[in-house]
Amino acid sequence: MEGRVLRAHVKQEEEVSSVSNQSLGRDASDIGSSRFRRSSIGQSQAEPDKALSLLPLAPILRRRRGQVKVEYDGKEEPKHWEPPDWSKQLGHVRQMRSARDAPVDLMGAEKCYDTHAPDEVRRYQVLVSLMLSSQTRDQVTSAALQRLRAHGCTVDNIVNTDDDTLGQLIYPVGFWKTKVKYLKQTSVMLQREFRGDIPNTVEGLVRLPGVGPKMAHLAMDIAWHQVSGIGVDTHVHRISNRLGWTRGGTKNPDETRKALEDWLPRDLWSEINWLLVGFGQQVCLPVNPLCSVCLNQHSCGLVTTALLDPTDCQGPNLSLWVEYT
């Protein structure tokens, strides 16, 4: 009798062990479900599962998520790029521009409009000066706008001025015949769609004939006192590439604008245009730049290139090459 009880007890432990092994192999999501509660040793679902109640509760297995590491062409995610010496270079340019006596400071778009005119007339004159300034020296643009103001530089008056008279007023600005057409078309558009004022968005400004992104951003800054982007002309484009402020170099002013806006702090966007334009007019000239007097001569890509080939150093830059060698 004792042998039968012992064998029954051993058999029950083997069955319990089997159930335990099966339960440990089940998915954690099956715990507590009706399928799991069904007895594996012949008991009905309504009766308490005494055998299972004796088992330790299997731990819920949770997959731990590892950190995701994004790679770009086998390399780690690139950090924010900015030129290594840009802050120091900017400080040098500010120092060289401290006198603020370049043509842009005295005759730029900020100096051409009538300060006593109504706001919409003042904004219109800012836009006209920007349209005339393309491919034109500030001295010529300023003189042309003074003649237009004497004639009456308002939207209605320009619309009613014949093309020949308008051409005589703005000559000799660059591409003056094309600019006569653009001024008339723009003025008509402003009269019809904007009640004689200029658009207050970049999108609206670039719709006007003869107005591109550079003019639009400068008009937003000067006329509306809103910084929407960096105005990049040939001076800003040239100097930014010489100083290494464009990653890998850019081919045109619009590419330079996008490159600068990617890293230059926004609170400098308004300043950088007139700062570099005046610097380009006085020191960092397109031809024969005055590298020997530039405070950035030790970190400028133009000087580095010139030192490799002395034939690139002309005029005052020749003494710079002699000094370095």
Side-chain angles (χ1 to χ4, degrees):
M1 187 67 175
E2 291 180 357
R4 293 180 183 177
V5 172
L6 182 60
R7 285 194 297 272
H9 181 67
V10 171
K11 183 177 182 180
Q12 184 178 11
E13 285 184 351
E14 290 176 353
E15 291 176 349
V16 170
S17 177
S18 175
V19 171
S20 176
N21 291 335
Q22 293 176 9
S23 65
L24 289 175
R26 296 178 186 270
D27 189 273
S29 61
D30 288 338
I31 296 177
S33 66
S34 60
R35 180 170 60 87
F36 185 81
R37 289 196 302 270
R38 186 177 293 112
S39 173
S40 60
I41 56 177
Q43 293 179 336
S44 65
Q45 184 174 353
E47 295 177 356
D49 194 341
K50 296 181 179 179
L52 291 179
S53 65
L54 299 176
L55 299 176
L57 184 63
I60 298 177
L61 303 179
R62 295 180 180 177
R63 297 183 60 185
R64 296 184 62 184
R65 279 189 171 184
Q67 294 183 351
V68 179
K69 183 178 181 180
V70 180
E71 295 186 354
Y72 297 85
D73 296 329
K75 300 180 180 179
E76 294 186 2
E77 181 179 358
K79 298 180 179 179
H80 173 72
W81 180 88
E82 63 180 31
D85 298 323
W86 74 269
S87 183
K88 183 178 180 181
Q89 292 171 329
L90 180 63
H92 287 159
V93 174
R94 284 174 174 159
Q95 184 177 345
M96 291 182 283
R97 289 276 286 115
S98 59
R100 297 196 177 189
D101 54 359
V104 68
D105 301 311
L106 307 176
M107 294 168 283
E110 292 181 285
K111 303 295 183 180
C112 290
Y113 59 84
D114 183 1
T115 56
H116 301 291
D119 289 344
E120 64 273 12
V121 174
R122 175 181 56 82
R123 288 190 285 264
Y124 174 68
Q125 292 179 0
V126 168
L127 180 63
V128 170
S129 67
L130 290 170
M131 294 177 69
L132 296 180
S133 67
S134 177
Q135 303 295 318
T136 305
R137 293 187 302 139
D138 287 329
Q139 296 90 330
V140 177
T141 300
S142 178
L145 200 64
Q146 295 303 316
R147 293 191 294 270
L148 283 175
R149 285 175 53 184
H151 172 74
C153 191
T154 64
V155 170
D156 294 337
N157 204 25
I158 296 301
V159 169
N160 295 325
T161 301
D162 62 87
D163 290 0
D164 291 338
T165 301
L166 191 56
Q168 294 173 6
L169 290 170
I170 69 172
Y171 181 84
V173 299
F175 305 99
W176 64 273
K177 292 183 179 180
T178 302
K179 291 177 181 178
V180 166
K181 179 180 65 175
Y182 286 156
L183 282 175
K184 292 296 289 290
Q185 292 175 348
T186 292
S187 299
V188 169
M189 194 170 175
L190 296 178
Q191 187 183 61
R192 293 177 178 176
E193 299 185 26
F194 300 95
R195 299 180 179 180
D197 208 340
I198 70 172
N200 61 355
T201 63
V202 172
E203 293 76 15
L205 287 166
V206 296
R207 286 181 54 228
L208 302 174
V211 178
K214 180 203 77 173
M215 297 182 195
H217 289 304
L218 291 176
M220 289 296 298
D221 188 9
I222 301 171
W224 290 108
H225 306 292
Q226 298 179 20
V227 178
S228 58
I230 301 176
V232 177
D233 66 350
T234 55
H235 293 292
V236 180
H237 170 63
R238 177 179 70 254
I239 296 170
S240 296
N241 278 277
R242 286 179 176 178
L243 292 178
W245 286 6
T246 58
R247 191 175 189 179
T250 53
K251 298 179 180 179
N252 55 64
D254 197 50
E255 288 185 5
T256 300
R257 176 184 63 81
K258 296 175 182 177
L260 290 175
E261 290 177 356
D262 278 343
W263 66 266
L264 188 69
R266 193 180 182 89
D267 59 352
L268 299 177
W269 287 10
S270 177
E271 176 190 15
I272 203 66
N273 176 268
W274 71 264
L275 195 66
L276 294 187
V277 169
F279 182 58
Q281 291 174 336
Q282 293 181 310
V283 179
C284 198
L285 308 173
V287 180
N288 293 334
L290 307 180
C291 301
S292 58
V293 299
C294 180
L295 298 178
N296 286 320
Q297 60 182 253
H298 299 286
S299 60
C300 177
L302 179 65
V303 175
T304 304
T305 303
L307 292 176
L308 297 177
D309 185 358
T311 59
D312 291 337
C313 291
Q314 303 176 12
N317 292 334
L318 183 59
S319 60
L320 179 66
W321 179 79
V322 174
E323 175 187 345
Y324 271 79
T325 56

